[in-house]
Amino acid sequence: MTIDEPTVRERLKTFGFSDKEVDTYVALLERGEAKASDLAQRAGVSKRYVYNVLGEFEDRGLVEVNDHETPTTIRAVDPAVVVRELSNQLSSLETQLEAIHNPDPGEDRRYEVIKSKSTVKKRIASLVQQAENEVNVSVPASLLPDLAPELAAAVDRGVLTLVLANGHGDDAVSESALQGLGSVVRYWADGGPMLVCVDRTHGLFSPPEFVMGRGSNHQAISFTEDRLSPALVGSFLGNYWPLAEEIYLHEPDELPATYDRFRHAIFAATRYQKRGYTLVAELELRPADSNEAFETRSGTITDITQGLVKPTTNSIPIENSFTIDDGTEQLTVGGPGAIVEPYEARRVTLDVVESAGQSVSELLDRSDAFDR
C-alpha cells in the first residue's frame, strides 16, 4: 500500500497537531514502541520536548506510556483505535454543537474512559482543584504525596474534604504525612476503593491496582453525573469510612458561618459541640420528599446525629442530622434528599450562643485549639 505521507501530515494538522507533534507521532508510528531518547533522535526534536508532549498524546489516546518500566518506553496505540476515538470525539462534538444550536434543558451527564495512570493522577488533582464545597477521596496511601498540594489547598479554602488513605499491603503510612490533607483524614490498612467525588456531581473511580501500577488491563472512569455521585458517596461513607482509623481533624470555621452543603455544617457543629459550645442554627428547610417551598426556621441545636467524626452517633451510616428547638417544637433535619429525617435543608447558618455570665478568661479557654 502506498502511503501519501504529506496528506497524512496535513490531515493530522486538522486535528490540532503542530508540525513538531506530527513529526514525533509519525516517528513513533514507524517504530511502534521506543524510548524517549530514540524517539527524539528519529523525530529530530529534543528529549525534553518528547517528555513535554507525552501528556498531550496520552490525553488524546494516541500513546501508552510504560512509566513502570526502566527506562520508560512509549508505545503507539493501534491506529484503528485512535481513528475510532477521533470519530467518537467528532460525534461528541456534533452532539455538543447541536445542543448549542438547539439547547436541551436537561442536566449535563458525561462519562470518559481513562487508560493512562498519569492521566488519572492529573484528573484527580484537577477535580480537587476545582472543588467548591465538598471532596470525598478514597485512594491508596502511596498516591497521597502526589495529591497533597491540591488537598491542602482545598482545606485552606474551606472545602469539606474527607480523605480515606488505604494501605493495600504497603508499609504503614506516616501519620505526620497525612496532617492537613483533609477536614477529616482516616487510614485503613486494608484495601479500599479508588474513588473521588466532588460537589455531588463530578468524580472518578477505578480499581486501585490501576493507579498502583500492578496491572495493565484496568482502566478508570471519569464522570459528570448528578445521580451517580451521591450514590458513590453514600457507599463510601456507609461501607468504608466507618472501618477506618481517624488520623487527623481540621479545626472548623469561625462562627457565624453559612454552609450550602449540609455535611459541612454537621462537621462544624460537631466540632464545636465537642468543646461544650451551645449552637443556634438558621436553616432553609421543607418537609422531606416534597415539592413545597423552602422556609427559614431558626432554633437551638439540641442534638446532632452524625458519622463523619468519631465517636459517631448515628445508627445508619448515611444518617447525618440536626435536631433544633425553635421554642415551639423540635425539628429533626437532614440534608437534601433526606430519607430518615422528616425535614431536609439546603442551607445552614451556624452561630454560638454565648452565656451572658461568661468571663473573658473562660471565653479564651474555650477558644483553645480543638481536640485532634
Side-chain angles (χ1 to χ4, degrees):
M1 178 180 177
T2 302
I3 299 175
D4 185 356
E5 188 168 317
T7 299
V8 171
R9 290 176 174 273
E10 287 304 315
R11 289 181 177 175
L12 284 173
K13 289 180 184 179
T14 66
F15 284 94
F17 286 74
S18 68
D19 287 328
K20 292 175 70 174
E21 286 176 334
V22 170
D23 292 340
T24 306
Y25 182 48
V26 170
L28 180 60
L29 286 174
E30 292 171 344
R31 295 293 300 275
E33 183 173 357
K35 296 184 294 185
S37 56
D38 294 340
L39 184 57
Q41 182 177 8
R42 191 173 185 86
V45 298
S46 69
K47 187 176 177 181
R48 178 184 294 274
Y49 176 79
V50 171
Y51 280 116
N52 287 340
V53 82
L54 283 183
E56 291 290 331
F57 281 4
E58 276 190 306
D59 290 342
R60 295 178 184 180
L62 303 176
V63 304
E64 294 178 354
V65 180
N66 300 317
D67 51 7
H68 59 280
E69 298 178 353
T70 303
T72 296
T73 59
I74 305 102
R75 181 186 298 113
V77 173
D78 186 334
V81 175
V82 172
V83 171
R84 187 162 58 246
E85 176 60 26
L86 290 174
S87 297
N88 290 338
Q89 291 178 18
L90 286 174
S91 297
S92 175
L93 177 60
E94 179 185 6
T95 301
Q96 292 171 16
L97 292 175
E98 288 178 348
I100 294 172
H101 176 65
N102 185 22
D104 183 348
E107 296 292 337
D108 181 18
R109 295 190 172 99
R110 288 172 283 133
Y111 300 87
E112 178 185 355
V113 176
I114 303 176
K115 299 180 180 179
S116 164
K117 180 176 68 174
S118 60
T119 301
V120 167
K121 291 181 179 180
K122 289 189 291 185
R123 184 64 55 83
I124 294 173
S126 176
L127 285 169
V128 175
Q129 284 178 332
Q130 296 170 21
E132 297 179 355
N133 294 293
E134 181 174 333
V135 170
N136 301 273
V137 173
S138 175
V139 296
S142 58
L143 189 62
L144 283 174
D146 294 334
L147 302 175
E150 289 78 17
L151 290 169
V155 174
D156 288 344
R157 66 177 182 269
V159 176
L160 178 65
T161 308
L162 306 180
V163 176
L164 177 58
N166 299 298
H168 287 285
D170 294 339
D171 294 335
V173 67
S174 167
E175 290 191 14
S176 61
L178 300 177
Q179 304 297 302
L181 299 190
S183 309
V184 188
V185 181
R186 293 189 179 185
Y187 176 72
W188 190 24
D190 295 324
M194 168 66 203
L195 171 70
V196 179
C197 290
V198 171
D199 293 343
R200 295 176 60 87
T201 303
H202 312 285
L204 178 149
F205 61 89
S206 77
E209 295 80 8
F210 180 46
V211 293
M212 298 175 70
R214 295 178 180 173
S216 58
N217 297 323
H218 299 293
Q219 57 193 20
I221 303 294
S222 175
F223 63 86
T224 296
E225 167 60 87
D226 60 352
R227 296 170 298 183
L228 176 61
S229 184
L232 291 175
V233 172
S235 175
F236 164 66
L237 293 177
N239 297 321
Y240 302 99
W241 190 252
L243 302 176
E245 175 189 2
E246 194 167 273
I247 299 296
Y248 173 80
L249 288 175
H250 195 71
E251 294 188 9
D253 307 312
E254 292 186 7
L255 300 185
T258 299
Y259 302 94
D260 292 319
R261 288 291 186 268
F262 192 77
R263 272 192 291 266
H264 204 163
I266 288 285
F267 169 73
T270 301
R271 298 287 281 127
Y272 275 95
Q273 188 186 62
K274 286 181 66 177
R275 296 295 294 176
Y277 286 89
T278 299
L279 300 175
V280 291
E282 180 181 274
L283 307 95
E284 293 182 10
L285 56 78
R286 68 181 180 186
D289 195 25
S290 77
N291 292 320
E292 295 183 20
F294 284 88
E295 62 174 319
T296 301
R297 302 283 290 271
S298 301
T300 302
I301 295 178
T302 59
D303 189 36
I304 301 174
T305 301
Q306 59 86 32
L308 302 179
V309 177
K310 293 187 176 181
T312 58
T313 54
N314 55 3
S315 56
I316 301 173
I318 62 172
E319 185 181 12
N320 292 285
S321 66
F322 292 129
T323 299
I324 66 169
D325 186 342
D326 68 355
T328 59
E329 61 178 328
Q330 295 209 9
L331 308 172
T332 300
V333 186
I339 58 175
V340 177
E341 303 80 16
Y343 292 91
E344 64 174 355
R346 65 178 181 184
R347 189 178 179 90
V348 180
T349 298
L350 298 177
D351 203 354
V352 173
V353 177
E354 295 182 357
S355 171
Q358 238 175 352
S359 68
V360 172
S361 62
E362 287 174 329
L363 286 172
L364 291 174
D365 287 341
R366 295 178 69 185
S367 299
D368 290 340
F370 282 74
D371 294 334
R372 296 186 180 275

